[in-house]
Amino acid sequence: MVDEFHLKLGSLIKRFVFLGGVVAFPSSQLVVLKVIKNLFERIAWTVGRSYSVRTEWGICLMNKTYVQKIFGRDKISSLKAKCVGLRNVPIHERCFEKDTGVQCSNVLVSKEDRDSENISTTLVHETSISQFDVSIAIHNHGDGSIAYFGDAHFDKATISRISKYIRSRSPNDPICFGRNLSEQTFAKVIRAKINGDTHFKLRNIKAALSSYKVGITKYGDVLGPCPVQKQELAGLLESVSLCLLKMRRPDDALESAERALDLDPGRSKCLFQAAVAYQSLARRRPDLTGFLAHLVAAKKALEKIVDLPDYVDAYEFYKKLERSIQLGENRV
């Protein structure tokens, strides 16, 4: 059922959200979480604890201002509900949460150190953090968003919250869940991009990669509705993907390209880079089936490019892929 839903409606829903639509999932059924993760590959949410009695959920303090604007202005600080919580929800996506009291180890490495070449000198330390269950979570995608409401019984209060959430994203009076970077921080992002471009032109790929990553780390978990900032992040991820391709790291290059395409699915250069990464991964597959699967994925990425025949390099690559796939299929 989930696969059929994804096949028939998945791409339409994802495009709808990207263009500014909002979708609410008001159910605690496990199938709902599976649908969400199928639609939005970057979501890492997992099922938490089931709360069969009405339980108090506190507002996520980091997002308090935005949550109150959506669900009740400055009047709401908590809610009571029977629901199935979510875990592994990034802080910036939480609305209401509950500390489970479970402690887990978390190894922390500064992003600057992790991205540096001299990993061996990195100071690594371990901290103990609490696991949280989340009853309402919101995930931004493009100009729109999706929300999970884990209500076990879909009561009137949940219906009211869903209504408020949908109205809050109205084009006439949008309340954008998430924060934009400050002007000072965004200026540092631009500076990092310029430095990266300079290094790249000088063919210093490692230095370019390091500069681009510095720009990306400035975002952290903050990605609000500002289209300029989203496009800049997508551009940085696209540049990282190109650097990684030149460093013969197709797995990482593909991951970076897909992150950029999550923000802007129409980036032709990024689609081309994803196709090249798929082809490189295909060459590493010892089995013909896996080899062909990666080539087909590369071909599909190129088919998303608008006016593909006008993009000469990509179109020539597309034709080569077609011939390779045909030869491979004849051998099956």
Side-chain angles (χ1 to χ4, degrees):
M1 183 179 69
V2 174
D3 292 338
E4 183 179 2
F5 176 87
H6 185 70
L7 180 65
K8 292 183 177 180
L9 297 175
S11 60
L12 294 176
I13 292 176
K14 194 169 183 179
R15 187 64 178 164
F16 169 74
V17 174
F18 180 81
L19 293 174
V22 294
V23 178
F25 293 89
S27 173
S28 62
Q29 297 295 320
L30 298 184
V31 69
V32 170
L33 182 58
K34 186 175 181 180
V35 167
I36 292 174
K37 296 182 75 169
N38 277 354
L39 288 173
F40 303 92
E41 298 86 354
R42 292 290 161 193
I43 290 181
W45 302 344
T46 58
V47 177
R49 184 181 299 172
S50 177
Y51 296 82
S52 57
V53 297
R54 288 178 62 83
T55 303
E56 186 167 4
W57 300 80
I59 196 168
C60 179
L61 295 179
M62 175 178 168
N63 303 318
K64 181 177 179 179
T65 301
Y66 306 99
V67 174
Q68 287 182 335
K69 285 182 179 178
I70 294 172
F71 296 110
R73 301 299 172 184
D74 58 350
K75 299 178 181 179
I76 188 169
S77 60
S78 65
L79 61 82
K80 289 187 177 182
K82 300 177 184 179
C83 69
V84 174
L86 293 178
R87 290 198 182 159
N88 295 325
V89 179
I91 293 177
H92 67 284
E93 294 183 346
R94 301 176 190 171
C95 294
F96 295 93
E97 61 188 7
K98 183 175 180 60
D99 190 336
T100 63
V102 177
Q103 300 291 311
C104 63
S105 295
N106 184 38
V107 177
L108 299 177
V109 182
S110 72
K111 291 181 179 179
E112 290 78 7
D113 288 339
R114 188 181 62 201
D115 292 336
S116 69
E117 295 299 319
N118 191 12
I119 299 297
S120 61
T121 62
T122 299
L123 294 176
V124 179
H125 61 281
E126 195 170 295
T127 62
S128 182
I129 62 172
S130 296
Q131 288 188 358
F132 282 85
D133 280 340
V134 177
S135 61
I136 300 177
I138 294 178
H139 173 80
N140 285 336
H141 177 72
D143 292 330
S145 67
I146 66 164
Y148 169 89
F149 293 80
D151 182 6
H153 298 293
F154 195 33
D155 59 20
K156 292 182 179 179
T158 299
I159 295 173
S160 175
R161 292 182 197 114
I162 292 172
S163 176
K164 290 176 180 178
Y165 159 66
I166 293 173
R167 286 202 304 269
S168 76
R169 300 306 294 258
S170 164
N172 296 325
D173 184 27
I175 298 172
C176 298
F177 189 84
R179 301 170 297 165
N180 294 319
L181 298 178
S182 67
E183 291 183 7
Q184 294 84 352
T185 302
F186 189 56
K188 294 178 182 178
V189 172
I190 299 298
R191 195 177 307 124
K193 177 69 163 61
I194 293 172
N195 290 339
D197 290 344
T198 301
H199 288 306
F200 190 87
K201 290 176 182 177
L202 296 173
R203 299 183 180 180
N204 191 343
I205 305 302
K206 287 186 178 180
L209 178 62
S210 179
S211 293
Y212 293 138
K213 284 187 173 181
V214 167
I216 291 172
T217 58
K218 297 300 179 186
Y219 283 88
D221 288 332
V222 179
L223 184 58
C226 176
V228 174
Q229 293 188 8
K230 284 184 180 180
Q231 287 298 313
E232 199 62 43
L233 178 57
L236 285 166
L237 290 165
E238 181 180 277
S239 297
V240 166
S241 176
L242 181 57
C243 289
L244 292 170
L245 280 176
K246 291 186 175 294
M247 295 170 70
R248 298 182 181 181
R249 293 166 56 185
D251 293 89
D252 295 330
L254 180 59
E255 180 181 355
S256 188
E258 288 178 340
R259 287 180 62 194
L261 291 168
D262 279 346
L263 295 169
D264 183 3
R267 299 184 78 89
S268 298
K269 185 178 178 181
C270 207
L271 289 165
F272 188 13
Q273 290 170 195
V276 172
Y278 273 122
Q279 187 205 42
S280 298
L281 292 172
R283 292 171 177 168
R284 299 181 178 184
R285 292 299 298 261
D287 59 305
L288 182 58
T289 302
F291 173 79
L292 285 174
H294 279 81
L295 291 187
V296 170
K299 182 171 175 282
K300 287 182 178 180
L302 292 173
E303 287 172 346
K304 295 178 182 178
I305 297 177
V306 178
D307 298 326
L308 175 60
D310 295 335
Y311 192 161
V312 178
D313 291 342
Y315 190 59
E316 289 179 356
F317 190 67
Y318 179 79
K319 289 297 185 182
K320 290 179 181 178
L321 285 173
E322 282 191 320
R323 290 193 291 271
S324 297
I325 292 171
Q326 187 174 9
L327 288 171
E329 290 175 341
N330 290 337
R331 291 170 55 190
V332 174

